[in-house]
Amino acid sequence: MVGVDLRALTQPVGIMRIMATILACMCFSLVATVGHVPSPYWAWCMFTWCFCCFFTLLILILEFTTVNAKLPFAWDDFTTAFAMLASLMCLAVSIIYPTFFTCKTCHRQIGASVVSWFCFGVYVGEVALTRLRPSGQVSGFLSTLPGIMKMLETFLACLIFTSLEKSQFNSPGLQWCVAVYSLCFIFAILIILLTITQLTSFFPFSFDKLVIVYNILAAVMYLTAMVIWPLYSFRNNERPSICGHPCAWDKLVVVTFMTIFNVIVYTLDTAYSIRLVFCVSNQ
């Protein structure tokens, strides 16, 4: 039977979620009134605000109706992980949107940018509250360091996909890089889903060791992409003096840096996973 829990709306975390829902909706509404902009960065910003607004509202409804207690996964782990992901996404759009889509006379765009920074602050506050709750540390996968790194890997891959254009797939080297980004993204999502749904126990072998093998392969593949992408993208390709806004050449730089960041994250993930499985578990 579905009940009602008013504490979901009156406790500090609930109040922050209500604020985040309102702020994300404000960002989306302000930008929507300006009109559509044919840019993947604009689409990413709109998606982020819609995504954060919808899922935060959904979390509020599920907790208010106590349906969350009947779900087959760790609810606290999910909400903490979502707040972390929403913080990252809002931080990204709070930098991207004012960089590419505001001007001195663009009042609604400036307003959306300011509200987006407040939204980011609210999600950071929610993360702090959920991580420091009196009942102790959250023990679910998504709230652990490996889970956080997996979310970060998929988030950086999303930024890479946002910056890719069809005209960049004209050579085998760049096609390999896109394949690396896509395959690693898909397998990272699969690992997250299998872990939070607690399906890893059905594997006839150690899932943790399988993840280590994947992390090593992903780190090596990303390392090749880190070398190949700038080699093929910037060879005989200087930044044009007259470039669009956002400039297609700048997107190549964004992909390059996001690839470097993901190499670092995958390397750290691999090292930590090896330590966790072979060192800590044997003590």
Side-chain angles (χ1 to χ4, degrees):
M1 183 177 178
V2 176
V4 172
D5 186 5
L6 289 176
R7 291 178 303 171
L9 304 179
T10 56
Q11 62 185 355
V13 174
I15 294 171
M16 284 203 156
R17 287 172 181 160
I18 293 172
M19 291 173 58
T21 303
I22 295 171
L23 291 171
C25 185
M26 286 176 61
C27 291
F28 172 82
S29 302
L30 284 168
V31 174
T33 57
V34 177
H36 177 263
V37 178
S39 166
Y41 290 141
W42 184 89
W44 171 255
C45 293
M46 292 294 277
F47 167 77
T48 295
W49 293 318
C50 289
F51 174 84
C52 293
C53 179
F54 173 79
F55 276 98
T56 306
L57 182 61
L58 181 63
I59 288 170
L60 283 170
I61 293 172
L62 291 177
E63 289 198 344
F64 179 70
T65 57
T66 67
V67 174
N68 62 301
K70 301 175 176 63
L71 297 176
F73 53 85
W75 178 254
D76 290 339
D77 181 38
F78 168 75
T79 54
T80 303
F82 169 76
M84 292 178 184
L85 179 61
S87 300
L88 282 174
M89 294 175 72
C90 285
L91 174 62
V93 299
S94 297
I95 296 172
I96 291 172
Y97 190 78
T99 300
F100 294 114
F101 304 109
T102 60
C103 60
K104 292 182 179 179
T105 58
C106 304
H107 304 300
R108 282 176 288 185
Q109 291 93 323
I110 294 173
S113 303
V114 173
V115 174
S116 184
W117 277 109
F118 279 112
C119 191
F120 163 68
V122 171
Y123 277 118
V124 170
E126 182 185 342
V127 171
L129 285 176
T130 53
R131 292 290 292 180
L132 300 175
R133 57 166 61 112
S135 58
Q137 293 248 351
V138 182
S139 59
F141 170 72
L142 294 178
S143 299
T144 62
L145 189 56
I148 292 170
M149 285 194 284
K150 277 284 169 283
M151 287 194 298
L152 185 57
E153 289 158 7
T154 56
F155 171 71
L156 292 173
C158 287
L159 293 182
I160 290 173
F161 294 142
T162 304
S163 303
L164 293 176
E165 294 185 354
K166 290 182 179 180
S167 59
Q168 297 166 351
F169 309 155
N170 54 4
S171 68
L174 296 181
Q175 290 169 4
W176 163 254
C177 294
V178 174
V180 169
Y181 304 144
S182 303
L183 288 172
C184 292
F185 175 77
I186 292 170
F187 280 106
I189 291 292
L190 279 176
I191 290 171
I192 291 173
L193 292 177
L194 289 171
T195 306
I196 65 174
T197 54
Q198 300 176 351
L199 296 176
T200 58
S201 58
F202 294 100
F203 281 74
F205 45 81
S206 173
F207 185 77
D208 291 336
K209 292 181 180 178
L210 176 65
V211 171
I212 290 176
V213 173
Y214 159 75
N215 285 339
I216 294 172
L217 288 174
V220 172
M221 291 169 68
Y222 255 94
L223 190 61
T224 63
M226 184 182 71
V227 175
I228 293 173
W229 180 267
L231 184 65
Y232 279 82
S233 296
F234 300 113
R235 185 174 55 186
N236 301 323
N237 181 26
E238 295 184 358
R239 192 181 194 279
S241 55
I242 301 176
C243 198
H245 187 74
C247 180
W249 193 91
D250 292 342
K251 293 180 181 180
L252 300 176
V253 178
V254 172
V255 174
T256 301
F257 277 98
M258 293 303 105
T259 302
I260 294 171
F261 291 151
N262 238 355
V263 169
I264 296 171
V265 176
Y266 271 109
T267 303
L268 293 174
D269 194 3
T270 302
Y272 187 80
S273 299
I274 292 173
R275 176 182 176 275
L276 207 60
V277 172
F278 294 104
C279 298
V280 177
S281 61
N282 292 331
Q283 290 180 357

